[in-house]
Amino acid sequence: MNLTGNVLLREVRDYLFIIFGLMNYALGWSAFLLPYQITTGGVTGIGAIVFYTSGIPIQVTYFLINAVLLAGVFKILGTRFSIKTLYAIFTLTFLLWWFQQLMGNTQIVGEGQDFMACILGATLCEIGLGIIFINNGSTGWTDIIAAVVNKYRDITFGRIIMYCDIVIISSCYFVFHD
């Protein structure tokens, strides 16, 4: 197989694994986090906060925020990264909707099992994200911000994502505080 064939095979493999990672991520959100009103970081965390307070589906907020941000940084991040990110944004938007239709608002692990739901949902989400990142993918917003900052500053990708996630998760206090 020539070099072009190897590159094509690698790209196809990346996209297949990205789909698998996105399925894990969407399942973690739809089956365990949303029914128990648990949030995490990233744009899906923002989407969850909007969903809990207004009823606007998480995938709508997720798609809109990512579309605006990705349009502005396409040139900075390059075609390959941007196309994979765009692919992941469209796919995850669909998967979040689809898994929510399948799961409804059913609390799978039982009522009052918020901690166990948090552990299971976070585990599925993080396994999914790990698969996505290992295969040169991105889920959008905080990943995009981290990639842009990392390109121009000597701040690690993970540190930037952590700072963004701390801000998002901390904002739940203001939304849910009685």
Side-chain angles (χ1 to χ4, degrees), residues 36-162:
Y36 292 90
Q37 292 194 340
I38 299 168
T39 194
T40 65
V43 78
T44 45
I46 294 170
I49 294 168
V50 170
F51 174 71
Y52 301 145
T53 58
S54 69
I56 296 172
I58 188 172
Q59 64 271 11
V60 172
T61 306
Y62 171 81
F63 182 78
L64 291 175
I65 292 172
N66 277 312
V68 169
L69 187 62
L70 191 60
V73 298
F74 195 88
K75 210 173 207 178
I76 296 171
L77 297 177
T79 306
R80 189 170 170 205
F81 181 83
S82 296
I83 288 173
K84 280 186 178 178
T85 301
L86 190 61
Y87 168 77
I89 290 169
F90 276 106
T91 305
L92 187 56
T93 298
F94 169 75
L95 288 173
L96 285 168
W97 168 81
W98 188 55
F99 279 122
Q100 282 179 324
Q101 298 303 308
L102 290 174
M103 301 294 167
N105 201 27
T106 306
Q107 294 185 341
I108 293 176
V109 291
E111 200 169 309
Q113 295 294 321
D114 298 24
F115 183 72
M116 183 56 70
C118 181
I119 297 296
L120 293 171
T123 301
L124 274 173
C125 287
E126 296 310 314
I127 287 170
L129 286 174
I131 293 168
I132 292 164
F133 290 153
I134 287 171
N135 291 283
N136 306 307
S138 163
T139 57
W141 196 62
T142 50
D143 307 348
I144 295 169
I145 292 170
V148 170
V149 172
N150 182 260
K151 184 172 182 171
Y152 296 107
R153 299 279 186 249
D154 188 27
I155 304 173
T156 64
F157 194 81
R159 188 172 297 234
I160 298 163
I161 290 175
M162 183 182 69

Side-chain angles (χ1 to χ4, degrees), residues 6-67:
N6 287 337
V7 171
L8 180 63
L9 188 61
R10 170 64 191 222
E11 287 296 308
V12 169
R13 185 179 99 44
D14 282 355
Y15 280 96
L16 290 174
F17 275 103
I18 288 170
I19 287 176
F20 181 66
L22 291 170
M23 289 177 75
N24 277 289
Y25 190 77
L27 182 62
W29 266 103
S30 301
F32 298 104
L33 300 178
L34 287 176
Y36 292 90
Q37 292 194 340
I38 299 168
T39 194
T40 65
V43 78
T44 45
I46 294 170
I49 294 168
V50 170
F51 174 71
Y52 301 145
T53 58
S54 69
I56 296 172
I58 188 172
Q59 64 271 11
V60 172
T61 306
Y62 171 81
F63 182 78
L64 291 175
I65 292 172
N66 277 312

